[in-house]
PDB file of all heavy atoms in Angstrom:
ATOM      1  N   SER R 221      -3.341 -33.381  18.862  1.00 98.00           N
ATOM      2  CA  SER R 221      -4.877 -33.247  18.796  1.00 98.00           C
ATOM      3  C   SER R 221      -5.184 -32.367  17.479  1.00 98.00           C
ATOM      4  O   SER R 221      -6.090 -32.571  16.760  1.00 98.00           O
ATOM      5  CB  SER R 221      -5.369 -32.629  19.955  1.00 98.00           C
ATOM      6  OG  SER R 221      -5.268 -33.533  21.100  1.00 98.00           O
ATOM      7  N   ALA R 222      -4.364 -31.288  17.274  1.00 98.00           N
ATOM      8  CA  ALA R 222      -4.514 -30.522  16.048  1.00 98.00           C
ATOM      9  C   ALA R 222      -4.323 -31.319  14.830  1.00 98.00           C
ATOM     10  O   ALA R 222      -5.124 -31.253  13.843  1.00 98.00           O
ATOM     11  CB  ALA R 222      -3.595 -29.267  16.162  1.00 98.00           C
ATOM     12  N   ALA R 223      -3.216 -32.066  14.770  1.00 98.00           N
ATOM     13  CA  ALA R 223      -2.898 -32.854  13.640  1.00 98.00           C
ATOM     14  C   ALA R 223      -4.004 -33.908  13.355  1.00 98.00           C
ATOM     15  O   ALA R 223      -4.368 -34.040  12.144  1.00 98.00           O
ATOM     16  CB  ALA R 223      -1.622 -33.571  13.781  1.00 98.00           C
ATOM     17  N   GLU R 224      -4.438 -34.518  14.403  1.00 98.00           N
ATOM     18  CA  GLU R 224      -5.513 -35.470  14.232  1.00 98.00           C
ATOM     19  C   GLU R 224      -6.809 -34.827  13.713  1.00 98.00           C
ATOM     20  O   GLU R 224      -7.593 -35.567  13.025  1.00 98.00           O
ATOM     21  CB  GLU R 224      -5.804 -36.159  15.550  1.00 98.00           C
ATOM     22  CG  GLU R 224      -4.693 -37.225  16.125  1.00 98.00           C
ATOM     23  CD  GLU R 224      -4.872 -37.574  17.508  1.00 98.00           C
ATOM     24  OE1 GLU R 224      -5.817 -37.231  18.054  1.00 98.00           O
ATOM     25  OE2 GLU R 224      -3.882 -38.186  18.081  1.00 98.00           O
ATOM     26  N   ALA R 225      -7.068 -33.630  13.995  1.00 98.00           N
ATOM     27  CA  ALA R 225      -8.299 -32.848  13.573  1.00 98.00           C
ATOM     28  C   ALA R 225      -7.957 -32.269  12.140  1.00 98.00           C
ATOM     29  O   ALA R 225      -8.832 -31.457  11.878  1.00 98.00           O
ATOM     30  CB  ALA R 225      -8.690 -31.864  14.549  1.00 98.00           C
ATOM     31  N   ASP R 226      -6.749 -32.659  11.494  1.00 98.00           N
ATOM     32  CA  ASP R 226      -6.441 -31.941  10.317  1.00 98.00           C
ATOM     33  C   ASP R 226      -6.354 -30.511  10.220  1.00 98.00           C
ATOM     34  O   ASP R 226      -6.742 -29.748   9.405  1.00 98.00           O
ATOM     35  CB  ASP R 226      -7.641 -32.398   9.193  1.00 98.00           C
ATOM     36  CG  ASP R 226      -7.067 -32.279   7.798  1.00 98.00           C
ATOM     37  OD1 ASP R 226      -5.787 -32.356   7.687  1.00 98.00           O
ATOM     38  OD2 ASP R 226      -7.737 -32.030   6.795  1.00 98.00           O
ATOM     39  N   ARG R 227      -5.763 -30.031  11.374  1.00 98.00           N
ATOM     40  CA  ARG R 227      -5.409 -28.631  11.675  1.00 98.00           C
ATOM     41  C   ARG R 227      -3.912 -28.569  11.738  1.00 98.00           C
ATOM     42  O   ARG R 227      -3.268 -29.447  12.024  1.00 98.00           O
ATOM     43  CB  ARG R 227      -6.145 -28.013  13.028  1.00 98.00           C
ATOM     44  CG  ARG R 227      -7.582 -28.333  12.951  1.00 98.00           C
ATOM     45  CD  ARG R 227      -8.312 -27.879  14.254  1.00 98.00           C
ATOM     46  NE  ARG R 227      -8.282 -26.361  14.224  1.00 98.00           N
ATOM     47  CZ  ARG R 227      -7.899 -25.669  15.314  1.00 98.00           C
ATOM     48  NH1 ARG R 227      -7.551 -26.096  16.385  1.00 98.00           N
ATOM     49  NH2 ARG R 227      -8.069 -24.325  15.174  1.00 98.00           N
ATOM     50  N   ASP R 228      -3.378 -27.303  11.448  1.00 98.00           N
ATOM     51  CA  ASP R 228      -2.063 -27.058  11.502  1.00 98.00           C
ATOM     52  C   ASP R 228      -1.435 -26.726  12.856  1.00 98.00           C
ATOM     53  O   ASP R 228      -1.790 -25.754  13.343  1.00 98.00           O
ATOM     54  CB  ASP R 228      -1.704 -25.866  10.436  1.00 98.00           C
ATOM     55  CG  ASP R 228      -0.260 -25.586  10.362  1.00 98.00           C
ATOM     56  OD1 ASP R 228       0.654 -26.383  10.860  1.00 98.00           O
ATOM     57  OD2 ASP R 228       0.213 -24.568   9.823  1.00 98.00           O
ATOM     58  N   PRO R 229      -0.714 -27.690  13.372  1.00 98.00           N
ATOM     59  CA  PRO R 229      -0.110 -27.344  14.700  1.00 98.00           C
ATOM     60  C   PRO R 229       0.780 -26.182  14.763  1.00 98.00           C
ATOM     61  O   PRO R 229       0.887 -25.563  15.791  1.00 98.00           O
ATOM     62  CB  PRO R 229       0.627 -28.677  15.052  1.00 98.00           C
ATOM     63  CG  PRO R 229       0.202 -29.773  14.112  1.00 98.00           C
ATOM     64  CD  PRO R 229      -0.334 -28.982  12.919  1.00 98.00           C
ATOM     65  N   GLU R 230       1.371 -25.875  13.749  1.00 98.00           N
ATOM     66  CA  GLU R 230       2.413 -24.738  13.706  1.00 98.00           C
ATOM     67  C   GLU R 230       1.601 -23.443  13.673  1.00 98.00           C
ATOM     68  O   GLU R 230       2.310 -22.397  13.950  1.00 98.00           O
ATOM     69  CB  GLU R 230       3.187 -24.824  12.345  1.00 98.00           C
ATOM     70  CG  GLU R 230       4.108 -26.063  12.172  1.00 98.00           C
ATOM     71  CD  GLU R 230       5.041 -26.235  13.402  1.00 98.00           C
ATOM     72  OE1 GLU R 230       5.592 -25.269  13.956  1.00 98.00           O
ATOM     73  OE2 GLU R 230       5.223 -27.385  13.735  1.00 98.00           O
ATOM     74  N   ALA R 231       0.305 -23.428  13.443  1.00 98.00           N
ATOM     75  CA  ALA R 231      -0.426 -22.216  13.437  1.00 98.00           C
ATOM     76  C   ALA R 231      -0.900 -21.889  14.840  1.00 98.00           C
ATOM     77  O   ALA R 231      -1.472 -20.675  14.990  1.00 98.00           O
ATOM     78  CB  ALA R 231      -1.640 -22.248  12.496  1.00 98.00           C
ATOM     79  N   LEU R 232      -0.744 -22.726  15.816  1.00 98.00           N
ATOM     80  CA  LEU R 232      -1.260 -22.443  17.144  1.00 98.00           C
ATOM     81  C   LEU R 232      -0.259 -21.732  17.944  1.00 98.00           C
ATOM     82  O   LEU R 232       0.910 -21.893  17.998  1.00 98.00           O
ATOM     83  CB  LEU R 232      -1.534 -23.948  17.917  1.00 98.00           C
ATOM     84  CG  LEU R 232      -2.504 -24.658  17.184  1.00 98.00           C
ATOM     85  CD1 LEU R 232      -2.655 -26.005  17.958  1.00 98.00           C
ATOM     86  CD2 LEU R 232      -3.944 -24.081  17.139  1.00 98.00           C
ATOM     87  N   GLU R 233      -0.806 -20.569  18.713  1.00 98.00           N
ATOM     88  CA  GLU R 233      -0.046 -19.966  19.675  1.00 98.00           C
ATOM     89  C   GLU R 233       0.037 -20.635  21.050  1.00 98.00           C
ATOM     90  O   GLU R 233      -0.965 -21.362  21.415  1.00 98.00           O
ATOM     91  CB  GLU R 233      -0.634 -18.374  19.818  1.00 98.00           C
ATOM     92  CG  GLU R 233      -0.462 -17.639  18.535  1.00 98.00           C
ATOM     93  CD  GLU R 233      -0.727 -16.157  18.738  1.00 98.00           C
ATOM     94  OE1 GLU R 233       0.284 -15.592  19.255  1.00 98.00           O
ATOM     95  OE2 GLU R 233      -1.716 -15.724  18.656  1.00 98.00           O
ATOM     96  N   TYR R 234       1.061 -20.384  21.701  1.00 98.00           N
ATOM     97  CA  TYR R 234       1.325 -21.013  23.003  1.00 98.00           C
ATOM     98  C   TYR R 234       1.581 -19.856  23.984  1.00 98.00           C
ATOM     99  O   TYR R 234       2.657 -19.235  23.887  1.00 98.00           O
ATOM    100  CB  TYR R 234       2.504 -21.952  22.921  1.00 98.00           C
ATOM    101  CG  TYR R 234       2.843 -22.925  24.198  1.00 98.00           C
ATOM    102  CD1 TYR R 234       1.822 -22.991  25.187  1.00 98.00           C
ATOM    103  CD2 TYR R 234       3.932 -23.525  24.242  1.00 98.00           C
ATOM    104  CE1 TYR R 234       2.087 -23.713  26.333  1.00 98.00           C
ATOM    105  CE2 TYR R 234       4.225 -24.369  25.359  1.00 98.00           C
ATOM    106  CZ  TYR R 234       3.339 -24.436  26.383  1.00 98.00           C
ATOM    107  OH  TYR R 234       3.544 -25.174  27.477  1.00 98.00           O
ATOM    108  N   THR R 235       0.791 -19.619  25.023  1.00 98.00           N
ATOM    109  CA  THR R 235       0.906 -18.533  25.849  1.00 98.00           C
ATOM    110  C   THR R 235       1.185 -19.096  27.212  1.00 98.00           C
ATOM    111  O   THR R 235       0.564 -20.090  27.676  1.00 98.00           O
ATOM    112  CB  THR R 235      -0.318 -17.595  25.873  1.00 98.00           C
ATOM    113  OG1 THR R 235      -0.614 -17.093  24.573  1.00 98.00           O
ATOM    114  CG2 THR R 235      -0.196 -16.509  26.831  1.00 98.00           C
ATOM    115  N   ARG R 236       2.086 -18.531  28.096  1.00 98.00           N
ATOM    116  CA  ARG R 236       2.402 -18.892  29.329  1.00 98.00           C
ATOM    117  C   ARG R 236       2.530 -17.769  30.257  1.00 98.00           C
ATOM    118  O   ARG R 236       2.828 -16.620  29.853  1.00 98.00           O
ATOM    119  CB  ARG R 236       3.689 -19.697  29.444  1.00 98.00           C
ATOM    120  CG  ARG R 236       3.665 -21.079  28.718  1.00 98.00           C
ATOM    121  CD  ARG R 236       3.202 -22.206  29.638  1.00 98.00           C
ATOM    122  NE  ARG R 236       4.195 -22.281  30.784  1.00 98.00           N
ATOM    123  CZ  ARG R 236       5.323 -23.113  30.652  1.00 98.00           C
ATOM    124  NH1 ARG R 236       5.571 -23.686  29.448  1.00 98.00           N
ATOM    125  NH2 ARG R 236       6.105 -23.189  31.660  1.00 98.00           N
ATOM    126  N   PHE R 237       2.211 -17.949  31.545  1.00 97.00           N
ATOM    127  CA  PHE R 237       2.561 -16.937  32.595  1.00 97.00           C
ATOM    128  C   PHE R 237       3.980 -16.868  32.773  1.00 97.00           C
ATOM    129  O   PHE R 237       4.685 -17.757  32.908  1.00 97.00           O
ATOM    130  CB  PHE R 237       1.705 -17.271  33.851  1.00 97.00           C
ATOM    131  CG  PHE R 237       0.370 -16.904  33.699  1.00 97.00           C
ATOM    132  CD1 PHE R 237      -0.743 -17.867  33.919  1.00 97.00           C
ATOM    133  CD2 PHE R 237      -0.125 -15.518  33.803  1.00 97.00           C
ATOM    134  CE1 PHE R 237      -2.068 -17.536  33.882  1.00 97.00           C
ATOM    135  CE2 PHE R 237      -1.412 -15.177  33.669  1.00 97.00           C
ATOM    136  CZ  PHE R 237      -2.475 -16.370  33.756  1.00 97.00           C
ATOM    137  N   GLY R 238       4.441 -15.584  33.227  1.00 98.00           N
ATOM    138  CA  GLY R 238       5.738 -15.418  33.535  1.00 98.00           C
ATOM    139  C   GLY R 238       5.687 -14.356  34.782  1.00 98.00           C
ATOM    140  O   GLY R 238       4.700 -14.057  35.233  1.00 98.00           O
ATOM    141  N   SER R 239       6.924 -13.963  35.170  1.00 97.00           N
ATOM    142  CA  SER R 239       7.016 -13.037  36.315  1.00 97.00           C
ATOM    143  C   SER R 239       7.794 -11.733  35.768  1.00 97.00           C
ATOM    144  O   SER R 239       8.562 -11.662  34.800  1.00 97.00           O
ATOM    145  CB  SER R 239       7.870 -13.598  37.363  1.00 97.00           C
ATOM    146  OG  SER R 239       9.120 -13.829  36.869  1.00 97.00           O
ATOM    147  N   ILE R 240       7.365 -10.653  36.492  1.00 98.00           N
ATOM    148  CA  ILE R 240       7.898  -9.290  35.921  1.00 98.00           C
ATOM    149  C   ILE R 240       9.388  -9.174  36.098  1.00 98.00           C
ATOM    150  O   ILE R 240       9.974  -8.311  35.429  1.00 98.00           O
ATOM    151  CB  ILE R 240       7.077  -8.177  36.751  1.00 98.00           C
ATOM    152  CG1 ILE R 240       7.166  -6.781  36.118  1.00 98.00           C
ATOM    153  CG2 ILE R 240       7.640  -8.181  38.153  1.00 98.00           C
ATOM    154  CD1 ILE R 240       6.420  -6.654  34.939  1.00 98.00           C
ATOM    155  N   ASP R 241       9.962  -9.967  36.964  1.00 97.00           N
ATOM    156  CA  ASP R 241      11.348  -9.942  37.127  1.00 97.00           C
ATOM    157  C   ASP R 241      12.216 -11.015  36.577  1.00 97.00           C
ATOM    158  O   ASP R 241      13.360 -11.272  36.732  1.00 97.00           O
ATOM    159  CB  ASP R 241      11.704  -9.971  38.636  1.00 97.00           C
ATOM    160  CG  ASP R 241      11.295 -11.260  39.407  1.00 97.00           C
ATOM    161  OD1 ASP R 241      10.495 -11.956  38.831  1.00 97.00           O
ATOM    162  OD2 ASP R 241      11.651 -11.420  40.577  1.00 97.00           O
ATOM    163  N   MET R 242      11.499 -11.780  35.534  1.00 98.00           N
ATOM    164  CA  MET R 242      12.127 -12.817  34.997  1.00 98.00           C
ATOM    165  C   MET R 242      13.257 -12.359  34.034  1.00 98.00           C
ATOM    166  O   MET R 242      13.314 -11.404  33.421  1.00 98.00           O
ATOM    167  CB  MET R 242      11.213 -13.681  34.111  1.00 98.00           C
ATOM    168  CG  MET R 242      10.509 -12.975  32.872  1.00 98.00           C
ATOM    169  SD  MET R 242       8.957 -13.692  32.130  1.00 98.00           S
ATOM    170  CE  MET R 242       9.623 -15.409  31.941  1.00 98.00           C
ATOM    171  N   PRO R 243      14.396 -13.249  34.081  1.00 97.00           N
ATOM    172  CA  PRO R 243      15.508 -12.898  33.213  1.00 97.00           C
ATOM    173  C   PRO R 243      15.431 -13.367  31.832  1.00 97.00           C
ATOM    174  O   PRO R 243      14.559 -14.091  31.486  1.00 97.00           O
ATOM    175  CB  PRO R 243      16.569 -13.758  33.920  1.00 97.00           C
ATOM    176  CG  PRO R 243      15.994 -14.929  34.424  1.00 97.00           C
ATOM    177  CD  PRO R 243      14.553 -14.467  34.977  1.00 97.00           C
ATOM    178  N   VAL R 244      16.276 -12.811  31.031  1.00 97.00           N
ATOM    179  CA  VAL R 244      16.299 -13.089  29.659  1.00 97.00           C
ATOM    180  C   VAL R 244      16.407 -14.588  29.391  1.00 97.00           C
ATOM    181  O   VAL R 244      15.824 -15.166  28.411  1.00 97.00           O
ATOM    182  CB  VAL R 244      17.276 -12.217  28.866  1.00 97.00           C
ATOM    183  CG1 VAL R 244      17.458 -12.718  27.407  1.00 97.00           C
ATOM    184  CG2 VAL R 244      17.008 -10.840  28.918  1.00 97.00           C
TER     185      VAL R 244
END
Side-chain angles (χ1 to χ4, degrees):
S221 296
E224 291 168 4
D226 200 25
R227 307 178 73 224
D228 181 8
E230 300 301 325
L232 300 177
E233 294 195 83
Y234 184 18
T235 303
R236 288 272 295 276
F237 281 113
S239 61
I240 197 74
D241 60 351
M242 64 194 308
V244 172

